[in-house]
Amino acid sequence: MAKRKTLRSDIAWATPERIFIKGYDLCDELMGNLSLGDMAFLELTDRRPTPQESVVFNALALTLVEHGLTPSAIVTRMTLAGAPEAMQAAVAAGLAGLGSVFVGSMETAARVLQEALPDPKAEVDLDALAREIVAAHAAQKRPIPGVGHAFHKPVDPRAPKLFEIAEKNGFAGPYVTLMKAIGREAEQKLGKTLPVNATGAIGAIASELGLPWNIVRGIGVMARAIGLVGHIREELANPIAREIKTRAEEEATSHRR
Amino acid sequence: MAKRKTLRSDIAWATPERIFIKGYDLCDELMGNLSLGDMAFLELTDRRPTPQESVVFNALALTLVEHGLTPSAIVTRMTLAGAPEAMQAAVAAGLAGLGSVFVGSMETAARVLQEALPDPKAEVDLDALAREIVAAHAAQKRPIPGVGHAFHKPVDPRAPKLFEIAEKNGFAGPYVTLMKAIGREAEQKLGKTLPVNATGAIGAIASELGLPWNIVRGIGVMARAIGLVGHIREELANPIAREIKTRAEEEATSHRR
Amino acid sequence: MAKRKTLRSDIAWATPERIFIKGYDLCDELMGNLSLGDMAFLELTDRRPTPQESVVFNALALTLVEHGLTPSAIVTRMTLAGAPEAMQAAVAAGLAGLGSVFVGSMETAARVLQEALPDPKAEVDLDALAREIVAAHAAQKRPIPGVGHAFHKPVDPRAPKLFEIAEKNGFAGPYVTLMKAIGREAEQKLGKTLPVNATGAIGAIASELGLPWNIVRGIGVMARAIGLVGHIREELANPIAREIKTRAEEEATSHRR
Amino acid sequence: MAKRKTLRSDIAWATPERIFIKGYDLCDELMGNLSLGDMAFLELTDRRPTPQESVVFNALALTLVEHGLTPSAIVTRMTLAGAPEAMQAAVAAGLAGLGSVFVGSMETAARVLQEALPDPKAEVDLDALAREIVAAHAAQKRPIPGVGHAFHKPVDPRAPKLFEIAEKNGFAGPYVTLMKAIGREAEQKLGKTLPVNATGAIGAIASELGLPWNIVRGIGVMARAIGLVGHIREELANPIAREIKTRAEEEATSHRR
């Protein structure tokens, strides 16, 4: 049996006395010195954040922790109702729905920005780039990512707050500028109020932090895992999953019974 | 269709202009002010941590983020290999295995401690309590939770570090004392070196933080979600899942082909 | 790196020209000759069922395919709403809740029967055994597995039908007799109408088929996967997940907004 | 709280005495009369199969049950190692990887066929259609779905067997003809041996059975759930997950320790 490829991982390794993560000694260098959010940054970049990066990244991630009774939260609660001995499976089930419709949208925003501007240091006419992006999406009748919000109207309050935090910490660079330009251009082109939403702001600021678009969804996945544990805690104290299920079942089959 | 129970959740709610989480205004009070780890504490307790609680809780959670190529990490990588378009499902699959064998052990430690000492302020002979716990487990031939480690011998380095952080921040109370007493008593009773391990230290310190045992596993679940995103990032850059699979498949069926 | 254990699997293997499953040539012996249910029997026993076993096993499994808008079905539909590109993750999320509360109950019934009667050929007083089982459960205030039903009163119609099919095909042996005796004894002891339910009948008949209790839950898991694909199909045609979510969210937070 | 949409499901409903699935009385009409595979057909079409449809559909589904130590099977085994109390979560984790790379490919084949030939009764030059499809895929450098196989060379033995079963039962219609024409055309265009593989045969025959492409992946998901329970059974008897994990972990970190 030939080894076609040597297995290699540089994330963590251990001796009986010491544990290393990305080259740091877990006990001596990380525990007590690094916050959970900064550890997440380390997982995504292989280095500890600067104080400014830390504020910005923690704000991004925190924004994604909790959205109340989302489909994911209901899924976690219903799964717990059937398998209370397997809390981890309830969180897992809740995460499974973080696909293209909800959390995936910020991946799309980051992707559009990074593909349009592969080198953030390049001198580019960002307004022209925004026009191209909006025109291309309109031509293919695809929604413009990162703008508008069905409920938070006229403005999604998270977006200006995230931009403010990014600017204060030196991360209001070309991706943020481009994202805002896309919002302005979309409003003009489509004649609607379409300010940048949380999704767009996160996609832009994650790009400023140097995170490649194909890992951006991961910020939402890790953050939501935290929030789903909070829903498990509330469901244990005040269960609502069965009531939601019973009402749905009764109404949906009332025409047949 | 009668409503048998009114649905109620107090985690989060929103108006078009504002978003509230546990009563805090997300944009005005949390974003930029609270770290991701402190947000996790808020999810688990309904309040922001004190500076001391923050250090201790972040250290607990950080300890659980990353353990290298665990079964969970391999599961996440193999799932990604089949469904690269659904990163969230890859993290979900990895979390599904955080059951009784791995992460569940710290839940057991916390449970034993909290059931033995329901009121941490009660005046109790903790050494006597430890003797009872060890004797009861020995009588039923159940493993004593939170002591010993198959690889980190003689001492799991995370445990003394966690205890040190807890003590510095005023959280070396009766649960920590009881856990250490269990370790000493287990060593004496079983005649083996069985110091408190990371699981035991986390169970004890989570109890000091006032977290009920039935949510303690959740710290591990949320923390590991962060680590699994890190494994997705490495698997995207240097895939190893298929090689692991091909070797296993070839060896396991070589006697039949 | 020492190999501590040789990897071995005897489920399936292949050459470029042929595929074998449990020793059968997939193309020459199974495809077109074996039904899906009989294939499931092969997976659970390493052999093809007799015609009688086939009827009984297919009836068991079929009974578990579909229960309408269960928590699992709602979970699958809500997960699909967020990740329509990952149908497999929607089924996975739905399965995650098939734990101790729902599908696990038939595992418990099978376990009680098999632990009470490890050798089905032994000459045992089954009525006395039933009295012991009911008394032991009552003493520990544990529910007696496999009897009574909250909705299907006085009799769960699936149980007598399953027993009828089992009897017609020669599978009304000691486990079925014991399960029925447990039902009678439970009624007498507790003074309530507690006939054997579907769970009890399946646990007993699976035991007659020689399936060990620790795999019995698997019949429910595989069957429900089939039903959940049916719910995906209906949700694609007539989506209801979002409406269920929106109503729950609005009611649950109305006291705060 | 306005109901924006009435909830409605026509899959199953019950009274205390009777249970209905798709309008059939579960106990009187389905149990004992319908096999598990035919029940799956009922879930996918709202009607029972004809004898011919039954043979063809069961053959399709059976083909997808078991592929040995796939990534999914390893995922299920590793998840069980961590959470043996939650078999359902182990199956769920295994299913999560049935995405675009593995099972998704037959969805793609069915989609290409059904989009090219929306009305199977239309009189169309199928060879010309095949040329167009192959040319379009080649122009966009996309792989032609349903042809060629990396291991089963020169011919995937499942494809001719499936076509044979379909033909015998009257389901060798235009989708089968078109799929075969795509294979021939691909061989000519690309100068390689590229016969139709199992994926292509299943996509074509599922189309003959009238199953819309967006549910075809579901056949694979339900079938594989059956196979994964088989892997749980073998893992319980002869565990290999930990050995696979230990070897991978040791090799992958040997350069750092």
Side-chain angles (χ1 to χ4, degrees):
Chain A
M1 188 187 49
K3 292 187 190 180
R4 280 128 302 214
K5 183 178 181 172
T6 301
L7 305 179
R8 181 177 170 145
S9 174
D10 290 283
I11 294 181
W13 58 95
T15 65
E17 298 84 18
R18 300 176 73 185
I19 297 161
F20 294 90
I21 298 177
K22 309 260 182 177
Y24 295 99
D25 184 302
L26 171 61
C27 297
D28 290 352
E29 297 182 275
L30 302 180
M31 288 167 68
N33 291 325
L34 209 65
S35 74
L36 186 67
D38 290 0
M39 181 72 183
F41 187 91
L42 175 61
E43 285 277 350
L44 292 174
T45 64
D46 297 338
R47 61 179 181 81
R48 291 192 284 194
T50 65
Q52 291 75 27
E53 286 170 333
S54 175
V55 171
V56 173
F57 178 77
N58 274 277
L60 282 196
L62 180 145
T63 304
L64 294 162
V65 166
E66 184 59 73
H67 292 230
L69 271 188
T70 55
S72 278
I74 295 173
V75 161
T76 288
R77 287 164 178 261
M78 292 226 174
T79 304
L80 189 76
E85 69 282 2
M87 172 207 287
Q88 75 281 359
V91 175
L95 294 183
L98 300 180
S100 60
V101 178
F102 304 124
V103 170
S105 53
M106 68 193 199
E107 175 183 300
T108 310
R111 182 176 191 167
V112 165
L113 294 170
Q114 294 180 20
E115 289 184 346
L117 191 65
D119 175 6
K121 290 179 182 155
E123 290 208 15
V124 183
D125 180 342
L126 296 172
D127 284 326
L129 211 50
R131 274 194 299 275
E132 279 172 40
I133 291 168
V134 170
H137 280 77
Q140 298 173 40
K141 298 196 177 167
R142 288 160 56 205
I144 296 154
V147 300
H149 199 284
F151 179 73
H152 292 299
K153 287 189 276 200
V155 175
D156 178 344
R158 296 165 293 186
K161 182 69 187 182
L162 284 166
F163 284 140
E164 180 198 316
I165 293 168
E167 186 160 17
K168 260 195 209 162
N169 287 280
F171 286 94
Y175 292 115
V176 166
T177 305
L178 177 57
M179 190 66 236
K180 288 179 174 174
I182 289 172
R184 281 195 311 272
E185 183 63 26
E187 295 195 338
Q188 216 162 21
K189 181 98 179 179
L190 304 177
K192 287 196 272 186
T193 307
L194 286 172
V196 177
N197 60 26
T199 284
I202 290 171
I205 298 171
S207 301
E208 295 290 342
L209 289 169
L211 300 172
W213 67 263
N214 68 358
I215 203 68
V216 165
R217 189 189 299 198
I219 309 173
V221 175
M222 54 172 70
R224 201 58 66 85
I226 293 172
L228 292 175
V229 176
H231 283 270
I232 285 177
R233 182 174 162 251
E234 194 182 63
E235 181 73 16
L236 288 170
N238 176 34
I240 60 173
R242 279 169 179 268
E243 175 68 19
I244 295 171
K245 174 256 173 190
T246 303
R247 288 192 207 167
E249 187 185 30
E250 286 195 3
E251 179 177 330
T253 62
S254 62
H255 65 296
R256 308 301 294 252
R257 281 175 297 123
Chain B
M1 187 187 49
K3 293 187 188 180
R4 279 128 303 215
K5 182 178 181 173
T6 301
L7 304 179
R8 180 177 170 144
S9 175
D10 291 282
I11 294 180
W13 56 96
T15 64
E17 297 84 19
R18 299 175 71 185
I19 296 162
F20 294 90
I21 298 177
K22 309 261 183 178
Y24 295 99
D25 184 301
L26 171 63
C27 296
D28 289 353
E29 297 181 274
L30 302 179
M31 288 166 68
N33 291 324
L34 209 65
S35 74
L36 186 66
D38 289 0
M39 181 73 184
F41 187 92
L42 176 61
E43 285 278 349
L44 292 174
T45 64
D46 297 338
R47 62 179 181 79
R48 291 191 283 194
T50 65
Q52 291 76 26
E53 286 170 333
S54 174
V55 171
V56 173
F57 178 78
N58 274 277
L60 283 196
L62 179 144
T63 304
L64 295 161
V65 166
E66 183 59 72
H67 292 229
L69 269 189
T70 57
S72 279
I74 295 173
V75 161
T76 288
R77 288 166 178 261
M78 290 225 176
T79 304
L80 189 78
E85 68 283 3
M87 173 207 287
Q88 74 281 359
V91 175
L95 294 183
L98 299 180
S100 60
V101 178
F102 303 124
V103 172
S105 53
M106 67 192 199
E107 176 185 298
T108 309
R111 182 175 192 169
V112 165
L113 295 171
Q114 294 181 18
E115 290 185 345
L117 191 65
D119 176 5
K121 289 178 183 154
E123 289 207 16
V124 183
D125 180 341
L126 296 172
D127 284 325
L129 210 51
R131 275 193 297 276
E132 280 172 41
I133 291 169
V134 170
H137 279 76
Q140 298 172 40
K141 298 194 178 169
R142 289 159 56 204
I144 297 155
V147 299
H149 199 285
F151 178 73
H152 291 299
K153 286 189 279 197
V155 176
D156 178 343
R158 295 165 295 186
K161 182 69 187 183
L162 285 166
F163 284 140
E164 179 198 317
I165 294 169
E167 187 161 16
K168 258 194 210 163
N169 288 281
F171 286 95
Y175 292 115
V176 166
T177 305
L178 178 57
M179 191 64 236
K180 287 179 174 174
I182 290 172
R184 279 195 313 273
E185 182 63 27
E187 295 195 337
Q188 219 164 18
K189 181 97 177 181
L190 305 177
K192 286 196 273 185
T193 307
L194 285 172
V196 177
N197 60 27
T199 284
I202 291 171
I205 297 171
S207 301
E208 296 291 342
L209 289 169
L211 300 173
W213 66 262
N214 68 0
I215 203 70
V216 165
R217 189 188 300 197
I219 310 173
V221 175
M222 54 173 68
R224 201 59 66 85
I226 294 172
L228 292 176
V229 176
H231 283 271
I232 285 176
R233 180 174 164 253
E234 192 182 65
E235 181 73 16
L236 288 169
N238 176 33
I240 61 173
R242 280 167 178 267
E243 176 67 17
I244 295 171
K245 175 258 174 188
T246 302
R247 288 191 207 168
E249 186 185 31
E250 286 195 1
E251 180 178 329
T253 62
S254 61
H255 64 298
R256 308 301 296 251
R257 282 175 296 124
Chain C
M1 189 186 48
K3 293 187 188 181
R4 278 127 303 214
K5 182 176 182 174
T6 301
L7 305 179
R8 181 177 170 144
S9 174
D10 290 284
I11 294 180
W13 58 95
T15 65
E17 296 83 20
R18 301 177 71 185
I19 296 162
F20 295 91
I21 298 177
K22 309 259 183 180
Y24 295 100
D25 185 300
L26 171 62
C27 296
D28 288 352
E29 298 182 274
L30 302 179
M31 288 167 67
N33 291 324
L34 209 65
S35 74
L36 186 65
D38 290 0
M39 181 73 184
F41 187 91
L42 176 61
E43 285 278 350
L44 292 174
T45 64
D46 297 338
R47 61 179 181 80
R48 290 192 283 195
T50 65
Q52 291 76 25
E53 286 170 333
S54 175
V55 172
V56 173
F57 178 77
N58 274 276
L60 283 195
L62 179 144
T63 305
L64 295 161
V65 166
E66 183 59 73
H67 292 231
L69 269 188
T70 56
S72 278
I74 296 174
V75 160
T76 288
R77 287 165 179 261
M78 291 227 175
T79 304
L80 190 76
E85 69 282 4
M87 172 208 286
Q88 74 282 0
V91 175
L95 294 182
L98 299 180
S100 59
V101 178
F102 303 123
V103 171
S105 52
M106 66 192 200
E107 175 184 299
T108 310
R111 182 176 191 169
V112 165
L113 295 170
Q114 294 181 19
E115 289 184 345
L117 190 66
D119 175 6
K121 288 178 184 156
E123 289 207 16
V124 184
D125 180 342
L126 295 173
D127 284 325
L129 210 51
R131 274 194 298 278
E132 279 172 41
I133 291 169
V134 169
H137 280 76
Q140 299 174 40
K141 298 194 178 169
R142 289 158 57 203
I144 296 156
V147 300
H149 199 284
F151 179 72
H152 292 298
K153 287 189 278 200
V155 175
D156 179 343
R158 296 165 293 185
K161 184 68 187 182
L162 285 167
F163 284 139
E164 179 197 316
I165 294 169
E167 188 161 15
K168 259 193 213 163
N169 288 280
F171 286 95
Y175 292 115
V176 165
T177 306
L178 178 57
M179 189 67 235
K180 288 180 174 173
I182 290 172
R184 280 195 311 274
E185 182 63 27
E187 294 194 338
Q188 216 162 21
K189 180 98 178 180
L190 304 177
K192 287 195 271 188
T193 308
L194 286 172
V196 177
N197 60 27
T199 284
I202 290 171
I205 298 170
S207 301
E208 296 291 343
L209 289 169
L211 301 172
W213 67 262
N214 68 358
I215 203 69
V216 166
R217 188 188 300 198
I219 309 172
V221 175
M222 55 172 69
R224 200 60 65 86
I226 293 172
L228 292 175
V229 175
H231 283 272
I232 284 176
R233 181 173 162 252
E234 192 183 66
E235 180 73 16
L236 288 169
N238 175 33
I240 60 173
R242 279 167 179 267
E243 175 67 18
I244 295 171
K245 175 258 173 189
T246 302
R247 288 191 207 169
E249 186 186 31
E250 285 195 2
E251 180 178 328
T253 62
S254 62
H255 64 298
R256 308 301 296 252
R257 279 175 297 124
Chain D
M1 188 186 48
K3 292 186 189 181
R4 278 128 302 216
K5 182 176 182 173
T6 300
L7 304 180
R8 179 178 171 143
S9 175
D10 291 283
I11 294 180
W13 56 97
T15 65
E17 297 83 19
R18 299 176 71 186
I19 297 162
F20 294 90
I21 298 176
K22 309 259 182 179
Y24 295 99
D25 185 300
L26 171 62
C27 296
D28 289 353
E29 298 182 275
L30 303 179
M31 288 166 69
N33 291 325
L34 209 65
S35 73
L36 185 66
D38 290 0
M39 181 73 183
F41 187 91
L42 176 61
E43 285 278 350
L44 292 174
T45 63
D46 298 337
R47 61 180 183 80
R48 290 192 283 193
T50 65
Q52 291 74 28
E53 286 170 332
S54 174
V55 171
V56 173
F57 178 77
N58 275 276
L60 282 196
L62 180 143
T63 305
L64 295 161
V65 166
E66 185 58 73
H67 291 231
L69 271 188
T70 56
S72 278
I74 295 173
V75 160
T76 287
R77 288 163 179 261
M78 292 225 174
T79 304
L80 189 76
E85 68 283 3
M87 173 208 286
Q88 74 282 0
V91 176
L95 294 183
L98 299 181
S100 59
V101 178
F102 304 123
V103 171
S105 53
M106 68 192 199
E107 175 184 299
T108 309
R111 181 176 193 168
V112 165
L113 293 170
Q114 293 181 19
E115 289 184 346
L117 191 65
D119 175 6
K121 290 179 183 156
E123 290 208 15
V124 183
D125 180 341
L126 295 171
D127 284 326
L129 210 51
R131 273 193 299 277
E132 279 172 40
I133 290 168
V134 170
H137 280 76
Q140 298 172 42
K141 298 194 177 169
R142 290 159 57 204
I144 297 155
V147 299
H149 199 285
F151 179 72
H152 291 298
K153 288 188 277 199
V155 175
D156 177 345
R158 297 165 293 186
K161 183 70 187 181
L162 285 166
F163 284 140
E164 179 198 317
I165 294 168
E167 186 160 17
K168 261 194 210 164
N169 288 280
F171 287 94
Y175 292 116
V176 166
T177 306
L178 178 56
M179 190 66 236
K180 288 179 174 174
I182 290 172
R184 281 195 311 273
E185 182 64 27
E187 295 195 337
Q188 217 162 21
K189 181 95 177 183
L190 304 177
K192 287 195 272 186
T193 307
L194 286 172
V196 177
N197 60 28
T199 284
I202 290 171
I205 297 170
S207 302
E208 295 291 343
L209 289 168
L211 300 172
W213 67 262
N214 67 359
I215 202 70
V216 165
R217 189 189 300 198
I219 309 172
V221 175
M222 53 173 72
R224 200 58 66 85
I226 293 172
L228 292 176
V229 175
H231 283 271
I232 284 176
R233 181 173 163 253
E234 192 182 65
E235 181 73 17
L236 288 169
N238 176 33
I240 60 173
R242 279 168 179 267
E243 175 68 17
I244 295 172
K245 174 256 173 192
T246 303
R247 287 192 207 167
E249 187 185 30
E250 286 195 2
E251 179 178 330
T253 63
S254 62
H255 64 297
R256 308 301 295 250
R257 281 174 296 124

